[in-house]
Amino acid sequence: MAHDKGLDNVAVHWPRTNQYYDPVAPAEFVDFGAIADAPEIAAPTGALALHIAKTGTVRATAYTELVDLLLGLEGVLYATDAAAEDEDPVIDPDGCAWIAGGLERFVEGHDKFGDLVTFDTVAEVMRTAIAGGRLAEQQLRWLDHRLAALRDDAGNAPHWSFARTELAVLAGFYRRCAERGFAVFADY
């Protein structure tokens, strides 16, 4: 599947009542605009929050690799599993809760590394989380394999640079969808 046009995750009513999913009114997300107005907020965080407040949509392209790594699957924000089953690229409310939970746990685990999220800090947070769990050796090998696969041919890491608060807003979008029974349509 080619993912070259960009990806929007659009909040939609669940379940659909006709041939198409009805978008959720942006008013359901209007409070995200207050985040954008906070004086100490990072510019990317403010931009994401304002876009969500105005459109009920996340421009998800920039987050796909990170979310896939954190959740251990491919094409999470593209809803590729749903597309194969239903021919509709939709993340249902339970899937939104799962995405939100994974992002929330990551944001919390990243606290001691500060607000700048990079490839290296993502790797450290994930290693720390895995090290104390069951089957730690096996999971650390899996993580090392996934991290290596994200590097380019020269061995360079992706140039991720997110504000931790930006990822908290991203998690908030999926949490809001889950709590209000909305789904997310992957539009690309």
Side-chain angles (χ1 to χ4, degrees):
M1 181 181 296
H3 303 298
D4 55 359
K5 290 183 178 180
L7 171 67
D8 285 342
N9 274 191
V10 181
V12 294
H13 291 281
W14 180 259
R16 73 177 178 205
T17 55
N18 55 36
Q19 183 179 359
Y20 302 103
Y21 289 92
D22 294 323
V24 171
E28 296 284 350
F29 299 92
V30 73
D31 58 313
F32 280 67
I35 297 167
D37 293 336
E40 72 283 351
I41 207 73
T45 303
L48 175 61
L50 191 58
H51 185 73
I52 292 169
K54 288 182 176 182
T55 66
T57 300
V58 167
R59 293 212 165 115
T61 304
Y63 308 107
T64 59
E65 283 182 336
L66 174 63
V67 171
D68 285 355
L69 177 63
L70 294 176
L71 299 178
L73 296 174
E74 296 292 324
V76 172
L77 300 182
Y78 285 96
T80 52
D81 286 340
E85 288 175 15
D86 309 325
E87 297 184 20
D88 284 333
V90 175
I91 304 165
D92 66 21
D94 290 339
C96 289
W98 176 68
I99 292 168
L103 286 167
E104 290 161 351
R105 284 186 299 279
F106 173 76
V107 166
E108 184 180 314
H110 197 280
D111 186 44
K112 68 181 177 183
F113 293 97
D115 196 47
L116 182 63
V117 176
T118 65
F119 183 78
D120 293 332
T121 63
V122 169
E124 286 305 310
V125 169
M126 291 188 73
R127 280 190 179 98
T128 301
I130 290 171
R134 272 187 49 213
L135 304 172
E137 279 185 44
Q138 179 183 359
Q139 290 179 345
L140 286 169
R141 281 193 303 275
W142 171 86
L143 177 60
D144 288 339
H145 175 73
R146 289 292 301 262
L147 292 171
L150 288 169
R151 294 181 180 277
D152 65 18
D153 293 338
N156 298 314
H159 297 286
W160 291 345
S161 181
F162 301 104
R164 184 174 155 269
T165 53
E166 178 183 2
L167 298 179
V169 168
L170 183 65
F173 171 78
Y174 295 100
R175 179 61 61 202
R176 173 71 51 87
C177 289
E179 288 174 349
R180 297 200 178 165
F182 303 145
V184 170
F185 182 80
D187 185 19
Y188 47 94

